[in-house]
Amino acid sequence: MGMERAAGRAAIFFLFLSLTVAQNITGSGEDTLNVGVILHLKSLVGKMARTSILMAVEDFYKAHRNFKTKLVLHIRDSNGDDIQAASEAIDLLENYNVRAIVGPQKSSEATFVSDLGNKSQVPVISFTATNPTLSSINVPYFLRGTLSDVAQVNTLAALVKAYGWREVVPIYEDTDYGRGIIPYLADALQEFGASMPYRSAISESANTEQIERELYKLMTMQTRVYVVHMSTNIGSILFKKAKDLGMMSEDYAWILTDGISNIANSLSPSILEEMSGAIGVRFYVPASKELDDFTTRWNKRFKEDNPNDPPSQLSIFGLWGYDTIWALAQAAEKVRMADAIFQKQKDTKNTTCLGTLRISTIGPKLLDSILLSKFRGLSGEFDLRNRQLELSTFQIINVVGSQLKEIGFWTAKHGIFRQLNKNKSKTTNMNSMPDLNPVVWPGEVYTVPKGWQIPTNGKKLRIGVRTNAYPEFMKVESNPVTNEITASGYAIDVFEEVLKRLPYAIPYEYVSFDNGQGINSGSYNDFVYQVYLGVYDAAIGDITIRYNRTSYVDFTLPYTESGVAMIVPVRDDRNKNTWVFLKPLTTDLWFGSIAFFIYTAIVIWLLERRSNNAELTGSFLRQLGIAIYFSFFADRERVDSILSRLVVIVWVFVLLVITSSYTANLSSMLTVQQLQPTVTDVHELLKNGEYVGYPNGSYVADLLRGLGFDRTKLRAYNDLDGFADALAKGSQNGGISAVIDEVPYIKIFLAKHCKGYTMIGPIYKSEGFGFAFPKRSPLVYDFSRAILSITEGDSIINIEKKWIGDQHACQNDGTIISSSSLNFNSFSGLFLVTGVASTSALLIALVMFLYKNKHRIRNSIRRDQTQKGYEAERINEQNQEMTIHSNQVHNLQLTVPDDSDEYSCQQDGEISIEQSPASEIQTSPYFASHAQQ
């Protein structure tokens, strides 16, 4: 009671002080701007903010003595009540004509007060209301002199991802402040691959028993990572009870939002001791000389203002309050106070107090002036152009005992990093440790909590198992006396080996899908769906990882080979026909060899004929035969030309390679290739209309129908003996031609029926067998890692040998690679070499021949040219003589005209003369005498 009275007297003193300051300023003739300040003066944050605000006014006007407009503060106590805060705001607006309101402190209070400020056009600046639902879009006169809670959600999500946690439970107070961050935190976690399986809301008025009951509820869940978003009053009670219940141990991880972290320095050592091991995020304030000086003065002033309170350290809220006053004072100086009046609202029908609020005429100008304020304050860059402070750097802290330890920082650009003055790289990879200083986790350990744990209520994990047609994979038995379920097989050994490799123990019990009575109690889809329904905590066995099942369960990595293949009979397919010797080479290789053989023989014949080989005598066919003989038996006959010998050497080398390959392939066909599958392609079965078998209840039936098989051609079998009998009969005798099944099952079949059958494929890709868990189960990740370590070592080989047998004992197992005929492409390089060699030798011989006989060829060409000249001259003379003779004959045929027709005759004579050149005309006596007349 004494402390409350002292606090009340201090509040009255400061109210009196503010009124006195206002009167003195008014009396001095300077312009004043009334500012309302609404805080929860009994809270730690309210006390810090009050001291900072009063010091801000004093420091500002001490530094700006020439400013003409002075702020007059009117401080009011909301007492942490929304209605009280709204009532104080109305009083300030109506009776003190405040032009701006700083505060209120709580987000719920700010909702009411911001509406009042919006109606009266009075800016409301809160440096503590962080609820993101408070938006200046709907309330334009509301400004946030702090960060929204949305700013820190990416930091929290980055920490969750960095430490590999998959699930987080938020514990928040059930107020506007507490609820506002949850949707944004959920989105951020989802983006980083984590989720919220549960949300724990605690009432602001919750007592110790209610908080304890909620913590007990959390202990029954698997998740052990908690994000605490609440005020220090509730938070201190929460951590005290959590420590009492053993939840501040090495299995738990606690993350504090900035609501607690920002004022953690001012919390009592006993409260910090209860939070030991928690990590938190808070706004980072860069160091400066001005901040150091102010902190020293602030500590002294706070002790004077609150003499009965324990010492407290300055928090970021105090700095934001200080900078808010400086921004408001700068803006007030730019507004003409002569026009500062309050006008009545035009709508006077509303007679309530809200309807009678007057409108500030300088409100819009003051708001614009505040929005233009940008300076470097004690908290760093103070910029309200976006109506709230910009996202900056967050500091990550660790509560160690009663001390706070800095472990790193976070920015939107670089992510998590250890120190500010070093090169930063984004490190939020889930598979690597974050770049942070070592953290002392709850329980005073340095090992990162895995983030989940089997509930401590004594319940065992219910592991679903089922019997199938392959007891080697899973065999389930029930004790008729105790009803205890036991299971054995390949899948069980893998599951139990995984449990041995986990870093923690898991209590479990097997639950039979069919109570151990049979295999026809349901499909595998029904079996897996029981996990989704919550009947099982996990389902193990030969469960194929399929796409449609991933919609309601999560699978581990596969622990077997993947794929669907065929089992088909094999037959002795040795070639025993007459023309088997032709099969080692394909038709194109046979014809190609013959063509190059003939071409090589022709080249040798041309080269040897040029060198006058004595063997090349007789008819052309005989000479060609001898040349071909040279190609085979060059060592027995005489080959004179060096070029011929080169061609023969290359050709003999080609023949040697082809002959060796032919011999090897023929031997393989006659000896090695003894067993061949009767079918090599699933489409052959479909084309020929063969019957196909598959295991009863398997999804393979749907696969075959999808490939186009008719339902009447598909036959289901329940065991391996049924497959063997049907394959032995064959499709024509009431059996089947092939079995389509998954590779692990085929290995079991071939281990029992080694002779006479083989595997073809895989013909279809599948993901193999895995274990099914509920969606987002934390066990999936740990099980997958353990399975990966098993499949990479000898453990899986030993398990296969135990239940399936030695895979190398059966020679028929696996795909048989049969010998195939050699084709022309296999020897195209050799044929290219011999072709180039033969053609090059032929061209070289031709060039040598031309070079040796160049003089003879040149003389022959000259003789031919001279002879052609003589013949041309002789032909020309003959043509001239024939032309003259023709003209003479033509002239002799002309008739002599009468005297009466002298002109006509004379004309004909002239024409005849013109037709013959003067040099060639030989005038007859007749024409001469006629011309003289």
Side-chain angles (χ1 to χ4, degrees):
M1 292 296 292
M3 295 180 63
E4 293 179 356
R5 290 176 181 175
R9 287 196 298 268
I12 295 173
F13 169 75
F14 282 107
L15 289 175
F16 174 76
L17 177 64
S18 64
L19 291 175
T20 303
V21 172
Q23 291 174 358
N24 292 337
I25 294 175
T26 305
S28 63
E30 294 179 341
D31 292 335
T32 61
L33 188 142
N34 294 320
V35 177
V37 180
I38 303 176
L39 298 170
H40 183 9
L41 296 177
K42 296 182 181 64
S43 67
L44 179 60
V45 174
K47 294 176 182 179
M48 290 180 178
R50 181 183 59 187
T51 300
S52 298
I53 288 173
L54 292 176
M55 292 180 65
V57 175
E58 297 170 4
D59 293 348
F60 183 85
Y61 290 111
K62 186 182 296 184
H64 304 84
R65 297 181 182 275
N66 59 338
F67 274 31
K68 298 179 180 180
T69 303
K70 305 293 183 180
L71 299 184
V72 178
L73 303 182
H74 303 273
I75 302 176
R76 297 291 186 269
D77 185 7
S78 68
N79 201 27
D81 183 73
D82 299 346
I83 304 300
Q84 181 67 25
S87 176
E88 296 293 346
I90 295 173
D91 178 63
L92 291 170
L93 291 170
E94 288 186 342
N95 301 323
Y96 293 90
N97 293 332
V98 294
R99 309 295 177 172
I101 296 177
V102 176
Q105 186 173 321
K106 295 171 58 178
S107 297
S108 57
E109 298 171 355
T111 302
F112 289 97
V113 176
S114 61
D115 288 336
L116 296 176
N118 197 55
K119 289 182 180 295
S120 57
Q121 295 186 0
V122 172
V124 177
I125 312 174
S126 176
F127 54 87
T128 54
T130 58
N131 183 9
T133 59
L134 283 171
S135 174
S136 58
I137 298 176
N138 300 324
V139 189
Y141 280 85
F142 173 75
L143 303 178
R144 200 194 311 270
T146 179
L147 295 175
S148 168
D149 281 334
V150 177
Q152 64 179 320
V153 296
N154 286 330
T155 310
L156 299 171
L159 281 173
V160 171
K161 181 179 180 181
Y163 288 113
W165 298 321
R166 306 300 298 274
E167 291 184 344
V168 175
V169 172
I171 305 176
Y172 58 95
E173 64 177 55
D174 195 10
T175 60
D176 291 345
Y177 161 72
R179 292 187 297 267
I181 194 177
I182 299 303
Y184 301 95
L185 179 60
D187 292 341
L189 290 173
Q190 184 177 6
E191 183 178 352
F192 281 85
S195 62
M196 290 182 183
Y198 177 73
R199 302 178 183 186
S200 177
I202 298 178
S203 174
E204 188 178 17
S205 59
N207 54 32
T208 304
E209 294 180 358
Q210 292 172 331
I211 295 177
E212 183 177 355
R213 193 159 45 245
E214 183 65 22
L215 291 176
Y216 271 121
K217 185 176 181 180
L218 294 176
M219 293 176 65
T220 62
M221 302 177 184
Q222 287 187 349
T223 307
R224 291 292 184 264
V225 182
Y226 308 115
V227 175
V228 180
H229 182 63
M230 55 181 54
S231 63
T232 55
N233 294 333
I234 307 177
S236 59
I237 302 174
L238 174 75
F239 280 100
K240 185 179 185 306
K241 295 308 300 181
K243 187 173 184 179
D244 293 341
L245 296 177
M247 297 180 70
M248 299 303 295
S249 61
E250 59 185 7
D251 296 325
Y252 294 83
W254 297 83
I255 305 176
L256 308 175
T257 63
D258 61 2
I260 295 178
S261 299
N262 282 335
I263 60 173
N265 290 333
S266 300
L267 297 177
S268 64
S270 61
I271 296 178
L272 290 178
E273 285 282 356
E274 292 165 351
M275 297 181 181
S276 182
I279 59 176
V281 298
R282 66 182 182 183
F283 186 84
Y284 171 70
V285 180
S288 64
K289 185 178 181 301
E290 294 79 5
L291 178 60
D292 293 339
D293 295 340
F294 176 77
T295 302
T296 302
R297 294 189 296 112
W298 185 92
N299 290 334
K300 182 179 179 181
R301 180 68 174 270
F302 184 82
K303 187 175 182 180
E304 294 175 355
D305 295 344
N306 306 276
N308 297 323
D309 290 352
S312 296
Q313 296 187 27
L314 178 63
S315 72
I316 184 61
F317 294 115
L319 298 179
W320 279 331
Y322 184 93
D323 291 341
T324 298
I325 294 299
W326 274 61
L328 186 58
Q330 291 177 1
E333 184 65 21
K334 301 176 184 179
V335 179
R336 287 175 55 87
M337 296 305 299
D339 302 331
I341 61 174
F342 276 91
Q343 296 178 347
K344 291 184 178 181
Q345 298 185 25
K346 296 180 180 181
D347 186 8
T348 58
K349 296 180 180 180
N350 191 346
T351 59
T352 63
C353 59
L354 297 180
T356 59
L357 287 177
R358 292 174 295 174
I359 298 175
S360 174
T361 57
I362 66 169
K365 294 181 180 179
L366 181 60
L367 177 64
D368 293 338
S369 182
I370 296 172
L371 292 176
L372 294 176
S373 297
K374 181 181 179 182
F375 61 93
R376 182 170 184 81
L378 295 179
S379 62
E381 292 295 331
F382 197 86
D383 184 4
L384 294 177
R385 286 179 296 178
N386 291 327
R387 299 177 181 270
Q388 66 181 11
L389 294 185
E390 291 297 316
L391 176 63
S392 184
T393 304
F394 277 95
Q395 184 183 33
I396 305 173
I397 61 173
N398 179 208
V399 182
V400 182
S402 59
Q403 303 295 324
L404 298 180
K405 174 185 173 184
E406 177 189 287
I407 60 174
F409 301 89
W410 180 93
T411 62
K413 181 178 180 180
H414 300 289
I416 295 176
F417 53 92
R418 183 174 302 181
Q419 296 181 0
L420 285 173
N421 56 353
K422 289 189 176 181
N423 294 331
K424 311 172 188 68
S425 60
K426 207 163 189 176
T427 55
T428 56
N429 189 350
M430 196 174 82
N431 296 323
S432 63
M433 293 303 296
D435 183 24
L436 293 172
N437 291 316
V439 177
V440 180
W441 298 99
E444 298 182 357
V445 297
Y446 289 92
T447 304
V448 179
K450 64 177 180 293
W452 67 273
Q453 189 180 23
I454 302 300
T456 57
N457 55 5
K459 177 184 176 183
K460 295 182 179 180
L461 286 183
R462 295 171 57 85
I463 307 300
V465 293
R466 62 168 292 166
T467 302
N468 64 9
Y470 302 91
E472 292 83 0
F473 261 99
M474 178 79 76
K475 182 179 181 181
V476 180
E477 295 177 337
S478 176
N479 189 318
V481 178
T482 62
N483 290 328
E484 180 183 1
I485 300 297
T486 58
S488 61
Y490 185 102
I492 295 298
D493 282 6
V494 173
F495 173 73
E496 293 179 352
E497 182 66 24
V498 167
L499 294 180
K500 294 178 183 178
R501 301 190 180 218
L502 294 178
Y504 45 86
I506 296 180
Y508 67 94
E509 62 180 352
Y510 293 125
V511 181
S512 178
F513 181 58
D514 47 36
N515 294 322
Q517 300 300 321
I519 63 172
N520 296 320
S521 57
S523 66
Y524 273 82
N525 287 335
D526 297 334
F527 177 50
V528 175
Y529 199 71
Q530 303 303 307
V531 177
Y532 174 77
L533 296 177
V535 177
Y536 306 142
D537 296 311
I540 65 173
D542 49 340
I543 304 172
T544 305
I545 302 174
R546 301 202 65 199
Y547 171 75
N548 64 315
R549 295 171 181 170
T550 59
S551 60
Y552 46 87
V553 294
D554 283 341
F555 284 99
T556 63
L557 290 177
Y559 62 89
T560 62
E561 292 185 46
S562 62
V564 176
M566 293 193 303
I567 304 174
V568 297
V570 294
R571 63 172 180 266
D572 186 358
D573 196 29
R574 285 179 295 182
N575 292 285
K576 302 176 181 179
N577 58 69
T578 305
W579 302 100
V580 67
F581 68 91
L582 295 176
K583 289 189 176 182
L585 306 182
T586 58
T587 304
D588 59 344
L589 183 56
W590 278 114
F591 282 106
S593 301
I594 294 173
F596 273 89
F597 188 76
I598 295 175
Y599 176 70
T600 303
I602 293 174
V603 171
I604 294 174
W605 177 74
L606 291 174
L607 295 177
E608 289 302 306
R609 185 173 178 82
R610 176 72 187 87
S611 60
N612 297 321
N613 192 312
E615 298 293 335
L616 298 178
T617 58
S619 64
F620 171 75
L621 294 178
R622 180 179 180 279
Q623 295 180 30
L624 183 61
I626 293 174
I628 295 174
Y629 188 76
F630 284 166
S631 301
F632 276 108
F633 307 104
D635 57 331
R636 295 186 181 184
E637 299 296 338
R638 183 167 58 87
V639 180
D640 297 336
S641 174
I642 296 177
L643 294 175
S644 298
R645 294 174 182 176
L646 176 63
V647 172
V648 170
I649 290 173
V650 174
W651 175 246
V652 169
F653 172 74
V654 173
L655 283 182
L656 178 62
V657 174
I658 295 177
T659 304
S660 301
S661 302
Y662 171 86
T663 303
N665 204 24
L666 181 60
S667 301
S668 175
M669 288 183 174
L670 295 176
T671 58
V672 176
Q673 184 190 7
Q674 297 180 359
L675 299 177
Q676 278 294 314
T678 56
V679 180
T680 59
D681 189 358
V682 68
H683 296 286
E684 293 182 19
L685 299 171
L686 183 62
K687 181 180 179 181
N688 298 330
E690 304 286 349
Y691 287 93
V692 176
Y694 67 92
N696 191 19
S698 173
Y699 75 96
V700 173
D702 297 330
L703 171 63
L704 293 174
R705 285 191 289 268
L707 292 175
F709 281 90
D710 189 87
R711 292 178 181 271
T712 59
K713 298 295 182 178
L714 302 179
R715 293 175 176 174
Y717 297 89
N718 292 324
D719 51 32
L720 301 179
D721 294 335
F723 284 146
D725 294 341
L727 287 172
K729 293 179 180 178
S731 184
Q732 304 298 328
N733 300 317
I736 55 177
S737 298
V739 173
I740 310 295
D741 206 348
E742 295 181 79
V743 172
Y745 297 142
I746 292 178
K747 286 186 174 183
I748 295 177
F749 178 88
L750 294 178
K752 290 188 174 183
H753 305 275
C754 179
K755 296 182 179 180
Y757 302 101
T758 188
M759 181 179 72
I760 302 297
I763 62 172
Y764 181 79
K765 180 66 176 177
S766 68
E767 294 300 325
F769 297 161
F771 302 146
F773 287 89
K775 277 292 197 180
R776 296 179 297 276
S777 172
L779 286 171
V780 174
Y781 179 74
D782 292 341
F783 263 64
S784 295
R785 287 173 57 90
I787 288 174
L788 193 60
S789 67
I790 293 172
T791 54
E792 288 181 350
D794 296 333
S795 298
I796 195 69
I797 298 176
N798 295 331
I799 294 175
E800 286 186 359
K801 288 182 178 180
K802 175 182 177 181
W803 294 102
I804 299 178
D806 189 359
Q807 299 298 306
H808 302 287
C810 182
Q811 297 180 356
N812 298 339
D813 189 16
T815 303
I816 295 179
I817 303 175
S818 61
S819 301
S820 59
S821 301
L822 302 174
N823 55 32
F824 184 83
N825 291 332
S826 303
F827 302 94
S828 57
L830 289 174
F831 286 122
L832 178 64
V833 171
T834 184
V836 170
S838 299
T839 304
S840 299
L842 191 62
L843 292 176
I844 292 172
L846 179 61
V847 172
M848 293 174 61
F849 172 78
L850 294 177
Y851 181 79
K852 289 181 180 180
N853 297 277
K854 60 182 179 179
H855 298 291
R856 185 184 305 173
I857 294 173
R858 187 181 298 114
N859 295 334
S860 176
I861 292 174
R862 289 177 179 175
R863 286 196 300 271
D864 292 342
Q865 291 178 349
T866 302
Q867 184 67 25
K868 289 180 181 178
Y870 291 153
E871 291 180 357
E873 292 178 359
R874 183 168 56 84
I875 292 172
N876 190 21
E877 291 177 357
Q878 292 178 356
N879 290 338
Q880 290 179 357
E881 292 177 358
M882 290 178 64
T883 301
I884 296 173
H885 180 71
S886 175
N887 291 337
Q888 291 177 353
V889 173
H890 177 73
N891 292 337
L892 290 176
Q893 291 177 352
L894 296 176
T895 304
V896 179
D898 295 337
D899 293 339
S900 60
D901 201 11
E902 184 179 357
Y903 176 76
S904 175
C905 182
Q906 185 178 0
Q907 186 178 12
D908 293 337
E910 293 175 356
I911 294 173
S912 176
I913 293 172
E914 290 176 357
Q915 290 179 349
S916 301
S919 62
E920 297 180 1
I921 297 177
Q922 298 179 1
T923 307
S924 66
Y926 174 79
F927 281 99
S929 61
H930 185 74
Q932 292 176 357
Q933 294 178 359

